[in-house]
Amino acid sequence: MSGPRVALFVTCLVDMFRPSVGFATVKLLEDAGCRVEVPPVQTCCGQPAWNAGDRENAKAIARQVIAAFEGYVHVVVPSGSCAATIARDFERMFAADDPWAGRARALGARTHEITAFLTDVLGVTEVGQEAPVSVTYHDSCSGLRSLGIREQPRRLLASVAGLELREMAENDVCCGFGGTFCVKYPEISNVMAGDKTRHVAATGADLVLAGDLGCLMNLAGKASREGRAFRARHVVEVLAGDLATPPIGEAG
Amino acid sequence: MSARDRILGRIRAAAAPGDRQAAVAAWMAAPGGGPRPHQAMSHGPQRLTQFMQKLDAAAATVGRVSALAELPKALAHELRKRRLPARIRFGSDAIFAGLDWGTIGTSRGPGRIEEPATLSRAEFGLAETGTLVLASGPDNPVTLTFLGETHFVLLREADLCGGFEDFWTAWRERGLDPRTLNMVTGPSRSADVGQVLQLGAHGPVALHVFLLS
Amino acid sequence: MSLHEATTPAFRANARAALDNANLQAALRGSRGNFITKRAKGREDLPEFDALRDRARDIKDHVLAHLDLHLEAYEAQVIASGGHVHWAETAEEARAIVLDLCRKAGAKAVNKGKTMISEECGINDFLSANGIAPVETDLGEYIIQLRGEVPSHIIAPAVHVTVPEIEAAFRKAHAHLDPDRDLSDLAALQAEARGVLRAKYFQAEVGITGANMLIAETGHSVIVTNEGNGDLTQSLPRMHIVMASLEKIVPTLEDAATILRILGRSATGQEMSVYTTFSRGPRRPGDPDGPEEYHVVLLDNGRSNMLATPFQDMLRCIRCGACMNHCPVYQAVGGHAYGWVYPGPMGAVLTPSLIGVEQGGQLPNASSFCGRCEEVCPVRIPLPGMMRSWREREFEKRLTPAAMRRGLGLWAFAARRPRLYRIAARLGAGLLSRLGGKSGRIASLPFARGWTGERDLPAPQGGTFMDRWKAARR
């Protein structure tokens, strides 16, 4: 393969909870001609520390990510939220005159969420898959508002033969995950999750898809507690043709 | 040190260095500079049409009067149509002074606690939003604008502006200094009961504009 | 409501109570979406809307960088027009100034237009305690005053009250009216309030309003209302008192127009609110109406301390309410849960600034950082970023809860050591995967009840990506 050399930042949630999302991401990248590498020095993007106000730990983790990934032309992340942390927040963590700020900016400019990378950078229009399912798409907040990801996953889904996209009401409203928010304020988070599962269910879609595993675990966990009929998957699973892996929150 | 001195002192201590006086002078010398919406730039007949459409959108009604002498007749017609008593209250604006009001009973002065219908003259209108601009004073007491159940407003078509930009220029040129400049866009309303919009919260239930060509 | 009554530290308990309050939930559900749809339409109909937002941001930034100079110019104009300016460093000083003015006016009753600054200063309780009856005239404010409440929203103060609750409040308060009267429709309720308040407008000696803007060029105070109550409040009594905070300044009439073009659209979707009133000084010689005295109380109350800090941008706020209308947390719990004057995202940033992060620190934490508030803010205040800045202050001051600090510390220790992290992730994935068993999810997990209380935890697939990748690509 002679395509671009791409580093995968797999994210801590995908690493621990759903490795199949990582492999689906790799498949999409390789199908598009990329050479994928997985730098071994990666843990988490540091967003939990950054959002909790722990700037020192956030910076330490950011420096670790920058050092491990700045040698690659592109960094691709199967999460709008983690991609936004690297692409937008890393630079804000450092003082303007700190050399790390410049390195953070440079890495940020080369860091992409997977569906945005495929469409905007590589110009992919077809994923060559077939899936006779109805889906609805949840726009995760960071991807939507920090990175402007909205049309990209929809364009790719439109190329999946047999797939029907049914938009839900309030599809741009937070699902209530919000990182540590969901455990700091579980009652409020629960109401937000319940609104979201209601809107998903109202579409009658088989699957809710999103680009962030955090939101998806929240939605899948809420839906299974409520006994909802729909299932949850990361969008790359459908795009990569991996419907054999059990949906989120189910065992094989 | 007074509270004033301490507050201003804290603000100055936080200020960035530089010639701030000059920056303020420059700002004040060139008012405006913001984007001018297309809808604030209407001209000619289109301006009139837009104004009437915006009045309608604001739940106000409008009628045209081709000569000042026709105002009493037009008002009498509106009062009858609205089943209001043939009475009107207005201020000492010269424009109303020499008119023959016929069967309409008139009274002069500020608003009173129960007043079925009041009449004012607007200084200007804004086609941008269907807004009337009234200047308080003996000619057009401000309380007439708020205490009439139905408020009638006379506006000369020549006083109709496109939007805020030409309005402020015209306002400054006219050199008025009333206690209040009242911009009115439709009749009073509130959505505080059950989040459903209803007209006539405290001010007029209805607003009718006579456009004088 | 005043400083000492803030219940912000109890946000969590307030929120729980709000979620269990069926009437409140019904009211919140009923209004949900209204403001959002209307704002979207208002924005859509004005192609220049976003450019106007940029300009409004620039105007406010200019004002904040030159606030002292503009305040001095404004004050000179008010004095030139025959008005008076009173400077108050604190809420307490503002209360004393207002009481003094009311006494000089011989006031027994004071009418009030909608003013959040008076809420911030706790004027109502203070005047009542001093034998002067405050009467709220904004319909929503009137409703909550009858109910003994404070506003739950900065532009729709009674948004939390259902229609049957309004009827009950009116029947109780308007005991002089026929008990058998029909109040079954919304129009009857509004008409009754109109009648009761119309009489009160003519009784008060003093009218207090807020100000949406103060214009440095001319000395005008500007109020924006839909009801007309603010105008009757300021025009009929013999004294008009304006209560406004320092940052309400805009330089020129043209700048005011820019703010007006985004204010109504952001708040209710209206191109213009019904009444926008520019007031300058007392009634002129020969005027048959209008107040004989005009006073402006300029309140600081912590705002000057926000300049040149990460929270300065908050002073751009024009109080449209769009942030709370679009906030899923506000939509879930309503405004009272926030426990002080300002709810929603703008309150989550402003409250710690004004009453201290020790008191208000819960609020900037109660956000999922979804960013919808920043997206709709007409003056582009980076609200989530500023909430994060508050979290940093709390972390530095060790106000972050100990359990959270410990958990975060342990996690960060591992996250900074990839080899250790690999082992921990491998162990965690294995353990949770086994707990998930054949169902693939975990219904209850000690130490994670926040998650598993109302939702299952999807179990890991087993084996980490990093291990599987290494094995597959070796």
Side-chain angles (χ1 to χ4, degrees), chain C residues 78-409:
Chain C
V78 174
I79 293 169
S81 67
H84 305 270
V85 177
H86 310 265
W87 301 69
E89 283 194 277
T90 61
E92 199 177 1
E93 282 180 24
R95 284 195 290 269
I97 292 165
V98 170
L99 178 62
D100 187 47
L101 290 170
C102 289
R103 283 190 172 145
K104 280 183 182 146
K108 291 183 199 67
V110 170
N111 284 349
K112 292 182 66 210
K114 188 157 172 34
T115 147
M116 293 309 294
I117 296 301
S118 111
E119 296 292 333
E120 189 178 322
C121 294
I123 290 291
N124 287 7
D125 288 352
F126 184 71
L127 289 179
S128 298
N130 284 281
I132 297 171
V135 179
E136 293 288 355
T137 63
D138 172 272
L139 187 50
E141 293 277 356
Y142 178 66
I143 290 166
I144 58 172
Q145 188 182 26
L146 294 184
R147 287 166 52 86
E149 294 179 315
V150 292
S152 68
H153 188 290
I154 60 171
I155 68 157
V159 70
H160 62 284
V161 189
T162 61
V163 175
E165 289 174 317
I166 295 171
E167 181 181 343
F170 280 13
R171 288 197 185 280
K172 193 169 159 214
H174 305 157
H176 61 290
L177 298 175
D178 176 7
D180 296 328
R181 68 194 184 280
D182 182 9
L183 287 178
S184 59
D185 70 358
L186 304 182
L189 289 167
Q190 180 159 309
E192 178 161 316
R194 178 188 171 98
V196 170
L197 284 165
R198 182 58 68 94
K200 289 183 187 286
Y201 283 123
F202 285 84
Q203 289 159 5
E205 294 82 4
V206 173
I208 298 178
T209 68
N212 291 83
M213 289 180 274
L214 305 173
I215 302 179
E217 173 196 2
T218 58
H220 280 116
S221 56
V222 183
I223 61 166
V224 177
T225 78
N226 277 321
E227 300 183 3
N229 66 303
D231 290 280
L232 290 169
T233 294
Q234 67 171 282
S235 298
L236 290 168
R238 62 167 303 271
M239 181 187 283
H240 177 198
I241 301 175
V242 177
M243 297 190 72
S245 49
L246 306 176
E247 81 282 12
K248 288 284 176 280
I249 291 277
V250 297
T252 66
L253 293 168
E254 281 78 1
D255 296 327
T258 298
I259 303 290
L260 289 172
R261 279 170 170 154
I262 54 167
L263 175 60
R265 288 175 169 97
S266 297
T268 56
Q270 287 170 283
E271 293 189 324
M272 277 286 276
S273 298
V274 177
Y275 301 113
T276 301
T277 300
F278 294 65
S279 308
R280 182 170 188 269
R283 69 161 75 177
R284 307 292 187 258
D287 278 4
D289 51 16
E292 288 154 35
E293 287 184 45
Y294 175 76
H295 296 269
V296 180
V297 181
L298 275 179
L299 178 72
D300 182 341
N301 208 26
R303 288 167 176 80
S304 58
N305 289 328
M306 293 165 69
L307 295 168
T309 74
F311 307 104
Q312 172 171 315
D313 290 352
M314 189 61 224
L315 297 174
R316 293 204 294 255
C317 178
I318 58 171
R319 306 289 191 269
C320 69
C323 61
M324 57 198 76
N325 293 337
H326 289 76
C327 176
V329 174
Y330 178 95
Q331 288 296 332
V333 301
H336 286 156
Y338 290 80
W340 198 58
V341 179
Y342 301 104
M346 58 80 67
V349 175
L350 189 58
T351 302
S353 299
L354 299 187
I355 69 173
V357 68
E358 292 79 3
Q359 283 281 305
Q362 278 279 321
L363 307 189
N365 281 284
S367 164
S368 66
F369 282 165
C370 79
R372 231 175 161 207
C373 48
E374 181 175 2
E375 185 177 51
V376 299
C377 176
V379 285
R380 303 196 185 280
I381 300 172
L383 291 156
M386 288 159 81
M387 288 183 224
R388 183 186 289 109
S389 293
W390 276 124
R391 296 183 191 184
E392 275 188 34
R393 294 283 171 97
E394 290 180 275
F395 195 85
E396 285 161 15
K397 292 185 169 201
R398 307 188 73 80
L399 294 169
T400 311
M404 170 103 177
R405 288 184 76 92
R406 270 199 305 276
L408 201 62

Side-chain angles (χ1 to χ4, degrees), chain A residues 20 57 184 187 218 224, chain C residues 12 16 416 455-456 461:
Chain A
S20 61
N57 273 320
K184 277 195 298 184
E187 296 90 349
N218 184 41
S224 81
Chain C
R12 209 178 288 269
R16 270 190 214 113
R416 294 170 67 168
R455 65 205 134 190
D456 297 334
Q461 289 170 327

Side-chain angles (χ1 to χ4, degrees), chain A residues 1-243:
Chain A
M1 276 182 283
S2 59
R5 184 163 158 260
V6 169
L8 175 68
F9 184 88
V10 75
T11 80
C12 56
L13 284 179
V14 168
D15 177 48
M16 185 162 155
F17 281 88
R18 203 159 172 84
S20 61
V21 170
F23 287 103
T25 306
V26 171
K27 177 176 189 307
L28 285 168
L29 290 169
E30 290 183 345
D31 286 354
C34 300
R35 291 168 293 147
V36 181
E37 295 183 25
V38 180
V41 178
Q42 56 172 302
T43 59
C44 169
C45 65
Q47 191 188 116
W50 175 237
N51 282 351
D54 180 359
R55 186 180 283 246
E56 284 317 305
N57 273 320
K59 280 161 73 173
I61 296 167
R63 284 192 293 265
Q64 182 175 289
V65 175
I66 294 165
F69 284 81
E70 64 189 346
Y72 296 87
V73 182
H74 299 291
V75 178
V76 174
V77 191
S79 156
S81 180
C82 311
T85 298
I86 300 172
R88 299 274 184 267
D89 292 332
F90 274 12
E91 188 189 350
R92 295 175 188 153
M93 293 176 188
F94 300 99
D97 56 353
D98 187 329
W100 284 98
R103 293 170 71 178
R105 184 165 57 245
L107 179 67
R110 303 199 304 273
T111 300
H112 310 273
E113 185 271 347
I114 175 67
T115 62
F117 182 71
L118 290 173
T119 53
D120 301 344
V121 179
L122 298 182
V124 171
T125 54
E126 302 269 337
V127 292
Q129 295 294 340
E130 192 181 334
V133 288
S134 55
V135 305
T136 190
Y137 194 84
H138 166 62
D139 293 289
S140 302
C141 299
S142 297
L144 178 67
R145 298 197 179 83
S146 295
L147 302 175
I149 297 167
R150 202 193 124 73
E151 296 309 319
Q152 297 93 325
R154 288 175 174 79
R155 279 209 294 276
L156 294 173
L157 286 169
S159 77
V160 175
L163 181 141
E164 182 201 353
L165 178 64
R166 300 179 189 172
E167 296 290 356
M168 70 176 112
E170 300 188 352
N171 60 5
D172 64 338
V173 177
C174 180
C175 70
F177 173 64
T180 53
F181 170 80
C182 68
V183 285
K184 277 195 298 184
Y185 298 92
E187 296 90 349
I188 301 171
S189 169
N190 174 52
V191 169
M192 290 160 68
D195 285 342
K196 189 60 61 181
T197 54
R198 191 161 42 79
H199 290 317
V200 172
T203 67
D206 306 322
L207 285 174
V208 59
L209 305 179
D212 277 89
L213 193 51
C215 311
L216 286 162
M217 288 172 62
N218 184 41
L219 292 175
K222 183 67 188 167
S224 81
R225 183 66 59 92
E226 293 175 324
R228 299 278 188 192
F230 68 84
R231 298 290 178 264
R233 285 186 184 278
H234 195 289
V235 64
V236 296
E237 299 174 35
V238 173
L239 296 176
D242 177 17
L243 294 176

Side-chain angles (χ1 to χ4, degrees), chain B residues 121-147:
Chain B
R121 179 181 61 85
E123 286 290 335
F124 292 101
L126 276 69
E128 178 180 355
T129 49
T131 298
L132 300 161
V133 181
L134 296 98
S136 69
D139 288 358
N140 294 284
V142 63
T143 45
L144 292 178
T145 297
F146 297 96
L147 288 171

